[in-house]
Amino acid sequence: MLLMLRMAFGIIYIIQAVFYRITSFIDRKKPQKLPPITDSLLTFSATALARKIRQREVTCYDVVNAYILQIKKVNPILNAVVDNRFFDAIYEAKIYDEQLASGKFDIETLEKEKPLYGIPLTVKESCALKGCSHTSGSLGRKGVKASCDAVVIELLRNAGAIPVCVTNIPEQCGGFESANLLYGRTYNPYDTRYTSGGSSGGEGALIGAGASVIGIGSDLAGSIRIPALYNGIFGHKPTAGIISNIGHFPYSEDKDFQKLLTTGPLTRYAEDLELLMKVLTSTCDRNLRLDVPVDLRQLKVYYRFSMDEAFGILPVVPEIKNCVQKVVTHFTQYDIRAEELPIEWPTELVEIMLAELINVKDFPQLLIDANDPTLKKYGIIEFLKSLFGLSQHTTQTALLAAIFDTHFPFSESDILHYIKQGKEIRQKLLDLLGENGIFIYPTFRRPAIYPEFSVCETLNTIYCGIFNTFGFPAVHVPMGLNHKGLPIGVQIVAAPYQDCLCLAVAKELETAFGGWVPPSISISE
């Protein structure tokens, strides 16, 4: 355990505890509510909508237009969308309808080759969508538009999806609070006083608000799953390497970076995760068995309520632990007795995760100067400047850059030690889970937080980030709202290439606990 690291964050947590209470007291005014969902088309899964389109029950135009109208209603409150292609999306939807009317495609062909035909898609701004903003939230890339689609967007377009907009992120995806100096901050649809998370926070907020049905995000240390928790939706981090990252910015060919970064889906409905994963992995050379039904009775189920408490790590709140317990209890109906994880789960997981990040030799440049992109900038200087509002960069991205610049507080021997320790724990977990085991674990230690305190919670991304380090698939499952009306839920983890287990359990828990809950009070037909 690196004492200096823990001491630094221990002091930060003490200061945070004081100011969090002050902020809670001051910020008691009820926030603006989102307009209710009044169009019934917005209440169907993408899977169901695609079926309705194929069977000519609804038109592509009706579906795409309904979502564009809802985006226009909620975005002034959320600030989730940073660029759009509404006109082009409507035009494409009308062409799709004409193709259906002409008999160009039959139902069987559409279902097999274009399963997303006519479905609106939203995209995290760091994933290239041709003609739309592709700045990664950096002032140094202001005005940059994507010249072509990312590989994943091309796959989704070929499957019939119609992209409508790109959504907000932290600068260079460097944090789990979606705010940058180019597009501002994205707010939580359930309570705008809270953060939408990051780095796929714009996606999370828009989907959680009912203004998108499927979206694409990316995950380096929880960047899909934490926004999924905060915004009450499903988010899947796939097995490392099975989905292309080409077209993502920031990007590196470094094999260690490629192991950590994964592109994946965010959805309101669990069945759409499976649909999107089939499309996104259509060029994967591994048999992921996504079409094979999972027999839940054959599962081995393990759980932990939290990491062991240690200095510098804040405890998991009771309502999140309760989510873990509810899932454990639910599996008893299948005569499955869940077992607490029987391997050592050390508090040094934090150091293991950070050591893997720091060990990336060719990490993308995070601090891009707005006047001279070739200029070398130093993270520690920009971090100090950012505290006084004097930097071109956000505090969270400058802090991340400072860590990568200095490797503080790790020595080379520390890095080697923690990487070795991580490999040993990974192997134990791999042996334990095998091809039919799942691990129930918190996604984060608490529901959404005030955005001003996101940097203070940096180490607590360990609940997600360790599975990027290990390369395991993991899905966040929403399980209702807490007493403050904020979403809560749990993370389901499986061994590499067993994504099908995560997706099957997500569908099971959606049935059991209700899944996504609209942030507006009622749904009118």
Side-chain angles (χ1 to χ4, degrees):
M1 180 187 297
L2 294 177
L3 185 59
M4 290 178 63
L5 180 70
R6 300 307 182 101
M7 285 184 63
F9 273 89
I11 294 169
I12 288 171
Y13 292 151
I14 294 171
I15 297 171
Q16 176 194 6
V18 175
F19 282 95
Y20 206 92
R21 290 180 180 275
I22 295 172
T23 302
S24 299
F25 179 79
I26 295 173
D27 201 12
R28 289 180 298 171
K29 184 180 179 181
K30 290 187 176 180
Q32 182 179 0
K33 282 279 189 182
L34 291 185
I37 298 171
T38 57
D39 191 328
S40 62
L41 284 176
L42 304 178
T43 67
F44 293 100
S45 68
T47 304
L49 285 172
R51 188 183 309 116
K52 288 178 177 293
I53 289 171
R54 290 194 295 267
Q55 296 173 349
R56 307 293 295 280
E57 294 177 18
V58 298
T59 67
C60 300
Y61 168 81
D62 287 339
V63 174
V64 171
N65 188 57
Y67 272 99
I68 289 175
L69 290 176
Q70 189 68 7
I71 290 171
K72 289 179 178 179
K73 287 181 182 178
V74 305
N75 196 57
I77 300 171
L78 299 178
N79 189 38
V81 176
V82 300
D83 199 2
N84 72 76
R85 57 186 308 274
F86 293 160
F87 179 84
D88 289 337
I90 290 291
Y91 179 73
E92 289 170 12
K94 289 180 178 179
I95 290 178
Y96 280 20
D97 286 330
E98 290 172 3
Q99 290 175 343
L100 287 178
S102 69
K104 181 176 181 178
F105 302 110
D106 58 32
I107 291 178
E108 185 177 342
T109 300
L110 286 175
E111 188 172 4
K112 183 178 179 181
E113 299 179 9
K114 293 186 177 294
L116 293 171
Y117 195 83
I119 301 300
L121 166 74
T122 54
V123 180
K124 181 178 183 178
E125 202 254 14
S126 58
C127 299
L129 175 60
K130 185 177 180 179
C132 285
S133 176
H134 191 42
T135 65
S136 205
S138 172
L139 285 174
R141 287 174 60 85
K142 183 177 182 180
V144 172
K145 303 277 187 176
S147 59
C148 60
D149 287 330
V151 169
V152 291
I153 305 305
E154 185 177 351
L155 288 170
L156 293 166
R157 280 189 190 265
N158 291 340
I162 299 177
V164 296
C165 66
V166 293
T167 54
N168 203 25
I169 59 175
E171 180 187 6
Q172 297 283 61
C173 300
F176 64 111
E177 150 64 2
S178 287
N180 57 69
L181 301 180
L182 196 55
Y183 294 120
R185 171 175 288 153
T186 297
Y187 298 93
N188 191 294
Y190 291 85
D191 188 327
T192 54
R193 293 172 296 184
Y194 293 87
T195 179
S196 65
S199 59
S200 308
E203 274 303 296
L206 205 62
I207 297 171
S212 173
V213 66
I214 56 173
I216 288 297
S218 58
D219 194 312
L220 186 71
S223 294
I224 286 175
R225 290 157 289 161
I226 292 173
L229 165 65
Y230 285 5
N231 297 284
I233 61 174
F234 294 87
H236 182 59
K237 183 205 86 67
T239 298
I242 65 173
I243 295 175
S244 174
N245 292 320
I246 295 175
H248 187 277
F249 191 91
Y251 181 81
S252 171
E253 292 285 357
D254 187 292
K255 63 181 180 62
D256 292 318
F257 182 81
Q258 289 292 324
K259 181 184 76 172
L260 297 172
L261 178 68
T262 52
T263 300
L266 295 105
T267 69
R268 274 188 284 140
Y269 301 99
E271 65 177 345
D272 293 339
L273 290 176
E274 183 178 313
L275 177 60
L276 285 173
M277 282 295 292
K278 287 178 180 178
V279 173
L280 294 171
T281 61
S282 58
T283 58
C284 177
D285 58 3
R286 294 292 297 248
N287 180 12
L288 300 173
R289 298 177 293 124
L290 296 178
D291 287 315
V292 179
V294 173
D295 184 356
L296 297 179
R297 296 182 186 277
Q298 300 302 313
L299 288 178
K300 298 182 297 182
V301 179
Y302 303 94
Y303 70 93
R304 275 190 69 99
F305 292 113
S306 67
M307 289 179 57
D308 292 334
E309 292 188 14
F311 188 62
I313 296 293
L314 293 176
V316 174
V317 299
E319 58 197 0
I320 298 296
K321 290 183 178 180
N322 190 44
C323 287
V324 175
Q325 183 60 61
K326 283 182 177 180
V327 177
V328 168
T329 302
H330 175 75
F331 276 105
T332 60
Q333 67 177 288
Y334 291 102
D335 297 322
I336 295 174
R337 183 177 178 181
E339 181 182 353
E340 188 165 5
L341 193 72
I343 64 176
E344 182 186 4
W345 203 240
T347 55
E348 286 87 352
L349 288 176
V350 171
E351 284 84 355
I352 291 169
M353 179 187 74
L354 290 176
E356 286 281 358
L357 280 167
I358 290 172
N359 192 52
V360 175
K361 299 297 188 294
D362 186 22
F363 204 91
Q365 181 182 350
L366 295 179
L367 304 179
I368 302 175
D369 190 88
N371 302 311
D372 181 5
T374 65
L375 182 67
K376 168 67 176 176
K377 305 185 83 170
Y378 296 94
I380 188 64
I381 294 174
E382 294 303 320
F383 172 69
L384 294 173
K385 287 169 63 177
S386 73
L387 298 177
F388 300 95
L390 300 175
S391 176
Q392 296 178 345
H393 309 284
T394 60
T395 299
Q396 56 184 353
T397 299
L399 175 60
L400 191 61
I403 292 173
F404 289 130
D405 284 348
T406 63
H407 289 186
F408 178 83
F410 293 85
S411 67
E412 288 301 317
S413 61
D414 287 332
I415 293 173
L416 293 175
H417 167 74
Y418 288 119
I419 288 176
K420 179 182 177 182
Q421 188 179 6
K423 288 179 178 178
E424 292 171 354
I425 297 169
R426 180 187 186 276
Q427 187 60 52
K428 290 178 182 178
L429 191 59
L430 184 62
D431 294 340
L432 183 71
L433 296 180
E435 294 187 352
N436 65 334
I438 63 166
F439 178 35
I440 309 163
Y441 200 50
T443 303
F444 194 69
R445 74 171 197 92
R446 58 171 298 161
I449 59 178
Y450 289 118
E452 296 83 1
F453 297 96
S454 290
V455 172
C456 301
E457 296 271 2
T458 298
L459 293 191
N460 297 306
T461 58
I462 182 59
Y463 287 96
C464 281
I466 194 61
F467 300 110
N468 295 77
T469 299
F470 292 162
F472 284 29
V475 63
H476 171 75
V477 179
M479 293 176 62
L481 309 178
N482 70 1
H483 66 287
K484 292 183 177 180
L486 295 172
I488 52 177
V490 73
Q491 181 178 203
I492 306 297
V493 183
Y497 310 110
Q498 308 307 319
D499 297 67
C500 59
L501 302 184
C502 295
L503 305 184
V505 172
K507 290 172 71 174
E508 172 69 14
L509 298 183
E510 179 183 44
T511 301
F513 301 106
W516 171 71
V517 178
S520 49
I521 295 174
S522 63
I523 299 177
S524 172
E525 289 296 326

